[in-house]
Amino acid sequence: MQPNIGIKPENLTGVSHLLNGILADEFLLYTKTRNAHWNVEGPDFHDKHKFFESQYGQLDEIMDEVAERIRILGHYAPATLKDFLKLTRLTEQMREKNDSQGYIRELLADHETIIIAMRECIDRFANEFKDAGTSDFITGLMEEHEKMAWMLRSHLR
């Protein structure tokens, strides 16, 4: 049953399509952050192990919120690895070394990619699709990513 929330069905579809890409990005970033947590090595192992754990915990919550937003809008969230890899803007990367600085640079670049994509969607959600709720929702998520990126960036100074 389609929601009757004052947004045209075709706009709900457009919003959900964009959210599917965001969810895929979040899933890939979550997985890469888990990888960093599991595989980081070096003299700063314990500190970075805990740091990456806190970041993947935040990403887990974000993923759930995005998937629930898609459901709120009457659509189904993608939930297969095949779908996520097809929809994401990010890439899986193989690391030669498992040092914290390399992981941090990689994760920071991914957060910045997501921030830029979200920033581009905010006005589309509000103006093109007439969905101020999702526009506001994505603004909040973008701010969370900005803070997470700042935390990563601070480790590189």
Side-chain angles (χ1 to χ4, degrees):
M1 180 174 193
Q2 281 293 101
N4 183 14
I5 57 175
I7 301 171
K8 294 178 184 176
E10 61 270 19
N11 288 352
L12 292 172
T13 298
V15 168
S16 295
H17 177 73
L18 290 174
L19 288 174
N20 288 344
I22 290 170
L23 179 59
D25 291 343
E26 299 290 358
F27 185 84
L28 211 63
L29 181 56
Y30 168 84
T31 302
K32 290 171 78 171
T33 305
R34 270 279 191 179
N35 178 36
H37 167 75
W38 287 332
N39 293 307
V40 67
E41 296 176 320
D44 59 348
F45 164 77
H46 188 265
D47 176 55
K48 294 307 180 282
H49 181 75
K50 291 292 188 190
F51 173 70
F52 293 136
E53 182 176 26
S54 100
Q55 290 228 329
Y56 77 67
Q58 289 175 265
L59 292 167
D60 185 48
E61 289 180 30
I62 290 171
M63 281 189 309
D64 192 54
E65 291 172 11
V66 174
E68 288 178 357
R69 184 73 192 169
I70 294 166
R71 295 296 296 133
I72 288 166
L73 299 176
H75 290 267
Y76 292 100
T80 67
L81 297 176
K82 181 180 177 182
D83 286 342
F84 288 143
L85 290 172
K86 183 175 72 175
L87 293 166
T88 188
R89 293 166 193 83
L90 308 180
T91 61
E92 291 184 298
Q93 297 203 343
M94 300 299 292
R95 304 205 32 78
E96 290 181 27
K97 293 173 29 176
N98 290 336
D99 65 305
S100 63
Q101 295 293 298
Y103 282 122
I104 288 170
R105 280 186 186 84
E106 224 174 271
L107 296 173
L108 174 59
D110 288 344
H111 277 280
E112 289 174 341
T113 296
I114 290 172
I115 291 164
I116 290 167
M118 287 180 168
R119 193 175 305 283
E120 291 170 354
C121 286
I122 290 168
D123 286 339
R124 286 190 73 192
F125 289 139
N127 300 326
E128 182 180 336
F129 297 116
K130 309 298 185 216
D131 184 354
T134 300
S135 181
D136 183 60
F137 169 70
I138 291 300
T139 299
L141 293 185
M142 182 188 70
E143 291 169 350
E144 288 184 52
H145 277 284
E146 288 173 336
K147 185 170 183 180
M148 293 174 78
W150 165 61
M151 294 286 185
L152 289 160
R153 199 176 301 110
S154 294
H155 282 90
L156 297 174
R157 297 190 190 253

